[in-house]
Amino acid sequence: MSDIEKPVALVTGASRGIGAATAKALAAAGYHVLLTARTEGGLEATESAIHDAGGSATIAPFDITDGDALDRLAQAVGGRWGKLDALVLNAAILGDLMPVSHVEPKDFEKLFRTNVTANYRLIRAFDLLLRASPDARVVAVTSSVATAPRAYWGAYAASKAALANLVETYGLEVAAISKVRTHVYNPGATATAMRAKAYPGEDPAALKTPEAAAAEIAGLIRA
C-alpha cells in the first residue's frame, strides 16, 4: 500500500520520548506518519526506525511555534492527501519549576506559546482536513498537574490545563458536524527527558515506558 492510500497521522515532538514511540506505533498500525520537531537528527532516527520496520513516514523539521510553517504544512498535507486522520499534540516544554511570582514574563509567554498557542494553530490549520477524514482523532498529551495543582509547577500546569480545555472545547464544537473525536491523555509518570528534568534523582526503570504510553495513544486513535 502506498503512502497515499494509508490513513495519515501527524505527531508533534516526534524526535524522542512519547512522540517518537507514538509515531512508530501508528506506523506499525498502518498509518503514514508525519513527524515534526525542532531536532532534525532525532526525526531522522525516528523515520529510519519506521522505515526499517516496514512503515512509512515523512519528516517536517521546524519550530512548532512558527505558525506560518504550520499553515504551510497543512497546505502541503491537503494537497497530497486531502485529509488528516490523526493529530497527536505531544510537543511541549516544561520550563523552570519555581514559585509563580518568580517566573519571568518571557518564560511564561514561551511556555504558553509552545504548549497552548502552537496547538491552537495546529487545530486551526488542520481543522478542515480533520473534518474531511471519515474517522479522525485528535489526542492532546497532558499532565496530572493540569487538574491537581502542585507547588512550583504553576506555569506548566496552567498551560496544560489550558490545552485540555481548548481540545475538549474543539471536540464539542465538531462532534455534531464531523467524525472528529478528541481525547486528552495523561500518560502518568513516564520515563522521558522532561520527566528526568523534573525529577533528576528518579529511577527511570521504575516508570512507565514511552512505548507503553504510545500503545495507549494508538489505542485511543484506533478505537
Side-chain angles (χ1 to χ4, degrees):
M1 183 184 294
S2 72
D3 68 325
I4 293 294
E5 300 171 290
K6 292 181 175 182
V8 187
L10 171 61
V11 180
T12 68
S15 62
R16 63 183 184 181
I18 292 173
T22 299
K24 295 171 188 175
L26 291 175
Y31 285 77
H32 180 78
V33 188
L34 307 174
L35 314 171
T36 71
R38 290 176 298 176
T39 310
E40 187 168 355
L43 289 179
E44 290 173 347
T46 303
E47 181 187 37
S48 294
I50 288 172
H51 288 168
D52 290 347
S56 63
T58 302
I59 66 170
F62 57 79
D63 188 331
I64 195 174
T65 64
D66 184 344
D68 291 340
L70 296 180
D71 290 342
R72 289 193 297 270
L73 178 61
Q75 290 173 359
V77 173
R80 184 168 179 79
W81 287 280
K83 64 182 176 65
L84 183 67
D85 301 291
L87 175 59
V88 181
L89 305 174
N90 168 71
I93 59 174
L94 177 64
D96 294 324
L97 303 180
M98 62 179 64
V100 171
S101 59
H102 293 190
V103 179
E104 291 289 338
K106 63 179 179 60
D107 296 330
F108 189 88
E109 290 163 6
K110 181 180 179 181
L111 263 172
F112 268 73
R113 189 163 61 248
T114 304
N115 297 357
V116 184
T117 304
N119 290 310
Y120 143 71
R121 289 296 299 261
L122 278 161
I123 291 171
R124 180 179 184 275
F126 284 95
D127 171 52
L128 292 179
L129 296 179
L130 288 164
R131 288 197 268 161
S133 167
D135 193 28
R137 297 290 184 271
V138 178
V139 179
V141 179
T142 188
S143 167
S144 61
V145 296
T147 55
R150 187 180 306 161
Y152 311 116
W153 288 69
Y156 175 76
S159 73
K160 285 298 186 179
L163 173 62
N165 193 296
L166 181 76
V167 170
E168 289 173 345
T169 299
Y170 174 66
L172 293 172
E173 292 167 351
V174 297
I177 59 173
S178 74
K179 296 296 185 180
V180 181
R181 298 295 179 263
T182 61
H183 300 279
V184 176
Y185 168 74
N186 175 17
T190 305
T192 63
M194 183 182 290
R195 178 81 185 187
K197 179 182 177 182
Y199 300 96
E202 194 172 52
D203 179 8
L207 305 175
K208 177 189 289 186
T209 65
E211 290 72 24
E216 293 172 351
I217 293 172
L220 291 172
I221 290 171
R222 299 177 67 194

